[in-house]
Amino acid sequence: MHAIEKLLAAKAHQASVKTGEIVNCDVDLAGINDLYLQTVKSFYEMKGDKVYDPDKVVLFFDHYAPCATIKQAQNHKEFRQFCREQGIGKLFDIDQGVCHQLLADKGLVCPGKIVVVTDSHTTTHGAFGAFGTGVGATDLATILITGKLWFKVPEIVKINITGTLRPGVYAKDVILHIIGDLGADYNVYRAVEFAGPVVERLSVSERMCMCNLSTEMGCKTSYIQPDAVTMAYLEEKGIRDYKIYTTDPDFQYAEELTCDVSGLKPQVSAPSSVDNVYDLDKYAGTKIDEAYLGSCTGGRVPDIAVAARILKGKHIPRDTRMIVVPASKKVMEEAMDKGYIKTLMEAGACITAPGCAACLGVHQGMLTDGETCISSTNRNFPGRMGSTDAGIFLASPAAVAASALNGCITDPTPYLKD
C-alpha cells in the first residue's frame, strides 16, 4: 500500500484498503472557517447536541478578519456562542490569521493525522505527511457529531521533481508550471505525492505552497514523505504524538511523472484560470495597479523576507499600490522583529491584519473594473479579488515584489542573483 492508504486504513480500523474503496475514518482535527456558519446550522438540523470531542475542533476567523459587514460580524457572534456552548477552546479570533498557517504555527498538524477543514486548500497539510482535505458544511457537521467521515480511497499520482532551481525560481513557479502542463482537472479526486531531489531541498514554507496549490489541479489530497525537514518542524513544535507511514516498494502508482525544473524560468498564471500558465517573460512590462503579497500560499516569513530584500531602500511608483498581508500573527511578529515590515512600509507598501483579506474578494485590497493585479495567492478566477472585469496574475512573492517596484510585471531574477 501507499503511505496514504496505510493512513486511511489505520483511521478506518482496517488492515488494508484499496483504490476506490469507501472507508469511514476517524478524523483527528476538524476545522471550520468563518465562511461556514452553515456548519453550525447543519449540526443542529442533524440533531446534534454535543460535538464528539471539543479538543479536536478548531474554529478560524480568517476570511472575515476583521469584519467588513454586519452579516460577517453576526457570523462571528454566532460562532463565538457555539464555542462557549460546546466548550471548544480552539477559537482563533480575528487577530490570528489564516487557518492553514495557524495549524502549522500552533503545531496542530503532523504526520499520520486526518485533517478536515471547510476550505479547499486543506491539501496544504500534505506537506507534513498528513491527509488534509477540504469539505462542505454538511460533511463537517457530520464530523462534529460522529468524529468520523467517509472517504473514497483515491488513486495516487507521483510527481518526481528533479534538477536544480535557478535564482528567482521558487516552489510557486514549480507548481504553477505543473498545473499549467497538466491542467486544472487532471487530478480530480486523486492524490498527488511530490517527491524527488528538489522537493527534498524545499523548506516547510515552500512545501506548504506546493501542496496548497495541488487543489488547483483537482487533487483530493497531497503528500510529501516526512523527512529531516519534517522532523525539524516536529522538534521545533515539541510534537511527539505522530505516526509516519511509508509506501511499500512494490506499490503501483496510477501514474508516475517526472518534472525537470533545471531550465524553469519564473512563471505567471494569467487571467483567468490557474492553469493558464506561461513564462513570466511573456507578460513582462504589463502595467499593474496592485501587487498583493499574502495568503496561505504566499504570506509566510520567507515570502515577506524576499519582498523586503527586493524593495529595501527603494520605493514603489506613485501609481502602483502594494498590499502585504501576513499569513498569521506569528508571521507578522517575526517579520516585524526582523525588520521586514518596516522595510516594506518604507517602500510604500500597505500592511494589513493577518488573514485571507482580498484573496477571497470581500475586503482589504479589492480590485475595480479594468485594474490589473499580480498576486502571490492561489486563484485568479474572474471576480476573485473584486470586479469580474479585473485581471489577476499569479506569481511568486519575489515576482510580486519586483513587479511592485517597477509598476509592471517584472522578472525578479536580476534582484536575486547575489
Side-chain angles (χ1 to χ4, degrees):
M1 291 191 293
H2 189 275
I4 291 174
E5 295 177 330
K6 291 180 180 179
L7 193 164
L8 291 174
K11 298 301 178 182
H13 306 285
Q14 296 181 192
S16 64
V17 298
K18 61 181 184 298
T19 301
E21 182 180 354
I22 302 296
V23 291
N24 201 34
C25 296
D26 297 333
V27 173
D28 296 289
L29 195 68
I32 313 167
N33 67 42
D34 49 359
L35 288 178
Y36 282 85
L37 184 61
Q38 181 60 48
T39 303
V40 173
K41 295 177 180 178
S42 294
F43 173 80
Y44 289 119
E45 288 167 359
M46 296 162 66
K47 309 304 180 185
D49 179 30
K50 292 293 183 181
V51 299
Y52 75 107
D53 185 344
D55 195 48
K56 294 182 178 180
V57 179
V58 188
L59 275 84
F60 310 96
F61 291 173
D62 53 1
H63 288 68
Y64 299 152
C67 295
T69 68
I70 296 171
K71 185 178 186 304
Q72 292 171 11
Q74 181 65 26
N75 272 29
H76 284 191
K77 179 180 179 180
E78 293 185 40
F79 271 129
R80 291 187 181 103
Q81 180 178 346
F82 181 71
C83 287
R84 287 194 296 269
E85 291 174 352
Q86 295 293 328
I88 297 170
K90 295 186 181 74
L91 167 61
F92 297 120
D93 218 301
I94 61 170
D95 65 324
Q96 290 296 307
V98 185
C99 57
H100 306 306
Q101 186 62 36
L102 285 172
L103 291 178
D105 286 354
K106 305 292 184 180
L108 294 173
V109 60
C110 60
K113 302 291 187 181
I114 291 182
V115 179
V116 182
V117 183
T118 55
D119 189 285
S120 59
H121 292 102
T122 310
T123 54
T124 301
H125 306 294
F128 304 98
F131 183 97
T133 195
V135 299
T138 304
D139 282 339
L140 208 291
T142 299
I143 299 171
L144 293 182
I145 294 170
T146 67
K148 298 177 180 290
L149 190 65
W150 69 270
F151 301 97
K152 183 172 75 171
V153 180
E155 292 184 341
I156 302 169
V157 174
K158 185 176 186 178
I159 302 180
N160 294 295
I161 304 174
T162 62
T164 302
L165 295 177
R166 300 161 60 175
V169 179
Y170 296 85
K172 180 68 170 286
D173 301 292
V174 174
I175 189 62
L176 286 180
H177 173 70
I178 290 171
I179 294 168
D181 188 43
L182 298 179
D185 59 353
Y186 176 78
N187 240 24
V188 172
Y189 214 106
R190 300 203 293 182
V192 62
E193 177 187 353
F194 296 113
V198 172
V199 175
E200 291 167 7
R201 294 191 292 267
L202 292 178
S203 66
V204 166
S205 176
E206 294 277 83
R207 293 177 182 199
M208 290 175 72
C209 174
M210 286 193 64
C211 289
N212 178 292
L213 274 157
S214 69
T215 298
E216 305 310 323
M217 56 180 173
C219 293
K220 178 66 177 176
T221 194
S222 67
Y223 188 78
I224 294 175
Q225 183 64 42
D227 59 8
V229 173
T230 321
M231 295 302 105
Y233 158 81
L234 296 172
E235 184 66 26
E236 177 195 349
K237 301 300 179 184
I239 299 172
R240 300 288 183 266
D241 179 20
Y242 60 87
K243 170 70 173 177
I244 293 177
Y245 297 95
T246 58
T247 301
D248 294 332
D250 59 347
F251 176 76
Q252 296 295 309
Y253 290 91
E255 290 184 72
E256 191 163 355
L257 311 173
T258 297
C259 177
D260 186 344
V261 298
S262 296
L264 188 66
K265 298 179 179 180
Q267 304 286 287
V268 292
S269 173
S272 295
S273 174
V274 181
D275 61 356
N276 189 29
V277 179
Y278 301 90
D279 288 348
L280 182 147
D281 294 346
K282 176 179 172 66
Y283 289 97
T286 300
K287 182 185 180 302
I288 62 166
D289 300 284
E290 180 172 304
Y292 187 91
L293 180 67
S295 91
C296 55
T297 310
R300 286 176 274 278
V301 173
D303 306 321
I304 296 172
V306 74
R309 176 181 172 187
I310 290 170
L311 288 164
K312 187 175 180 62
K314 306 179 181 71
H315 203 282
I316 64 176
R318 180 176 180 179
D319 292 337
T320 305
R321 60 187 184 270
M322 183 179 189
I323 297 174
V324 179
V325 190
S328 70
K329 180 178 181 178
K330 183 176 184 294
V331 167
M332 177 174 268
E333 289 173 340
E334 186 173 341
M336 290 174 68
D337 290 344
K338 293 185 175 180
Y340 303 148
I341 295 296
K342 183 179 180 181
T343 294
L344 292 171
M345 291 178 71
E346 290 174 345
C350 173
I351 314 298
T352 75
C356 299
C359 181
L360 74 155
V362 296
H363 60 168
Q364 294 180 311
M366 303 282 281
L367 303 174
T368 192
D369 294 354
E371 288 194 315
T372 299
C373 175
I374 186 166
S375 174
S376 68
T377 57
N378 46 36
R379 284 182 175 159
N380 61 349
F381 309 147
R384 177 70 180 184
M385 296 178 70
S387 170
T388 56
D389 191 42
I392 304 167
F393 289 85
L394 305 180
S396 73
V400 169
S403 301
L405 176 60
N406 292 289
C408 62
I409 295 178
T410 302
D411 186 337
T413 305
Y415 302 94
L416 300 165
K417 284 186 175 177
D418 60 337

